[in-house]
Amino acid sequence: METVRTPKEQQLIISSSPHIRSEETTSRIMWSVSAALVPATIMAAYFFGPRAVFLIALTIMSALAAEYAYQRALHKPITICDGSAFLTGLLLGLNLPPTVPFYIPIVGSVVAIILTKQLFGGLGFNVFNPALIGRAFLLISFPKLMTIWAEPTAQFVAMDAKTTATPLGIMKTEGLARLLQLFGDKAILYKSLLIGNVAGSLGETSAIAVLIGGIFLLARGYITWHIPVSFLGSVAVIAWIFGGKGAFFTGDPILHLLSGGLMLGAFFMATDYVTSPSVKKGQLLFGVGCGFLTMLIRLKGGYPEGVMFAILIMNCFTPFIDRSFK
């Protein structure tokens, strides 16, 4: 016999955040997202050598240690096995230049885990993406160290790296003509950006490696297309219309799509469950906002790159977007 509950007997169960948009566990999703970053990590090791591997490993270990120490000191449950601190450390490591001193990953991990995540209540209660706050703190505190880039060596054996500017930095300060002069032509430039044979942060230079990971997340249902497509699409449209010199509709959208941390931000950081909208229409607006702010900073701002600031600014609007569309 089936038991029918009356309205008074029915219970409303409210779970704590993050409200995962999947039937899988939080831990499995975190480790799966980390696995999706393996191609980008391999390309970072290939182009920037053993130092890149050590920097990424140091950032991960620092994030795990920071979370463990904080929770142990406050007698809270230890959650380092759920994969969230590991993923934060991995993302932060992939967002670092290959030339930074070894204390930089430690400082950034402490800020990302303790100040951005744990002080707000732990996983699911943070307002901003922890890895991006860690990177923003490092950029503001150590601007010179965080803007020294090295030419990729395209081999795992360590060599003396030459410092250079990123493609976006060259285009910002010297123009597209100078960028094409350095690479030869657009075909070579696109190929270098796609593979990752350019200066930049450890995990952002290889667009194809990030795309492989992003497609994996989409195929497994860990993220939906709404934020990445609206983010990338708005960047492409704005770059095409306003990115040229002297006339509208003369910009190069492919260059902007493949450059900087756009792919990494669109697939792995803007889609963060906790800090992005849960409503599909809200996700589209969130992605468009990220794209607009990214191009505003790239074209008119003082920084050559704007992905980090764009996502953090839109994180502020996530609660408002969710409430508006609900």
Side-chain angles (χ1 to χ4, degrees):
M1 178 181 294
E2 181 179 356
T3 303
V4 179
R5 293 191 177 189
T6 65
K8 290 185 178 181
E9 295 174 319
Q10 293 177 349
Q11 296 181 358
L12 177 63
I13 301 175
I14 303 176
S15 63
S16 60
S17 57
H19 305 291
I20 302 299
R21 289 164 283 218
S22 171
E23 295 179 357
E24 300 199 47
T25 64
T26 300
S27 178
R28 183 169 180 177
I29 291 175
M30 293 297 171
W31 289 115
S32 296
V33 175
S34 296
L37 287 166
V38 168
T41 306
I42 292 174
M43 296 305 288
Y46 177 74
F47 283 113
F48 298 106
R51 198 174 197 280
V53 179
F54 184 79
L55 282 172
I56 294 171
L58 180 59
T59 314
I60 293 172
M61 290 187 293
S62 300
L64 292 171
E67 180 151 299
Y68 177 83
Y70 180 89
Q71 293 174 337
R72 186 67 181 268
L74 272 66
H75 305 289
K76 293 178 176 290
I78 306 299
T79 60
I80 59 173
C81 292
D82 66 7
S84 61
F86 183 97
L87 178 58
T88 297
L90 177 57
L91 282 171
L92 178 59
L94 293 174
N95 274 280
L96 294 177
T99 58
V100 293
F102 294 143
Y103 65 85
I104 291 293
I106 300 174
V107 174
S109 296
V110 170
V111 171
I113 295 296
I114 296 181
L115 297 185
T116 313
K117 179 183 173 185
Q118 292 299 330
L119 288 182
F120 281 86
L123 179 63
F125 297 96
N126 49 286
V127 179
F128 300 99
N129 184 286
L132 289 180
I133 286 291
R135 188 179 190 276
F137 178 87
L138 293 174
L139 181 61
I140 294 170
S141 303
F142 311 99
K144 186 175 181 179
L145 295 176
M146 289 293 291
T147 52
I148 299 176
W149 312 100
E151 290 183 354
T153 60
Q155 57 185 7
F156 191 75
V157 179
M159 296 180 62
D160 292 333
K162 297 180 180 179
T163 58
T164 185
T166 64
L168 284 176
I170 295 171
M171 188 166 62
K172 184 83 171 180
T173 57
E174 303 181 55
L176 179 60
R178 175 58 178 166
L179 185 61
L180 293 177
Q181 180 183 357
L182 292 173
F183 282 87
D185 56 41
K186 280 193 175 183
I188 298 176
L189 174 59
Y190 293 161
K191 181 180 178 181
S192 299
L193 291 169
L194 191 65
I195 297 174
N197 192 22
V198 294
S201 296
L202 294 175
E204 71 179 19
T205 59
S206 178
I208 188 65
V210 179
L211 274 171
I212 291 171
I215 292 171
F216 169 78
L217 295 180
L218 288 168
R220 294 295 300 273
Y222 294 135
I223 63 174
T224 63
W225 61 268
H226 300 78
I227 291 178
V229 170
S230 59
F231 195 164
L232 298 175
S234 57
V235 165
V237 171
I238 296 173
W240 176 49
I241 298 175
F242 300 103
K245 292 291 185 181
F248 294 134
F249 302 100
T250 59
D252 189 338
I254 299 177
L255 176 59
H256 279 278
L257 287 174
L258 298 180
S259 299
L262 182 61
M263 292 293 177
L264 189 64
F267 285 101
F268 288 94
M269 289 179 284
T271 56
D272 177 36
Y273 289 136
V274 181
T275 58
S276 65
S278 58
V279 182
K280 296 297 184 291
K281 292 181 180 179
Q283 291 174 11
L284 291 173
L285 177 60
F286 183 89
V288 171
C290 288
F292 170 78
L293 292 172
T294 295
M295 291 309 300
L296 180 65
I297 296 171
R298 284 187 178 186
L299 298 178
K300 300 298 182 182
Y303 288 99
E305 176 61 290
V307 172
M308 175 184 69
F309 295 111
I311 296 175
L312 290 175
I313 291 171
M314 289 306 298
N315 286 161
C316 300
F317 292 96
T318 293
F320 173 76
I321 292 174
D322 265 336
R323 291 191 183 97
S324 298
F325 282 96
K326 285 179 181 179

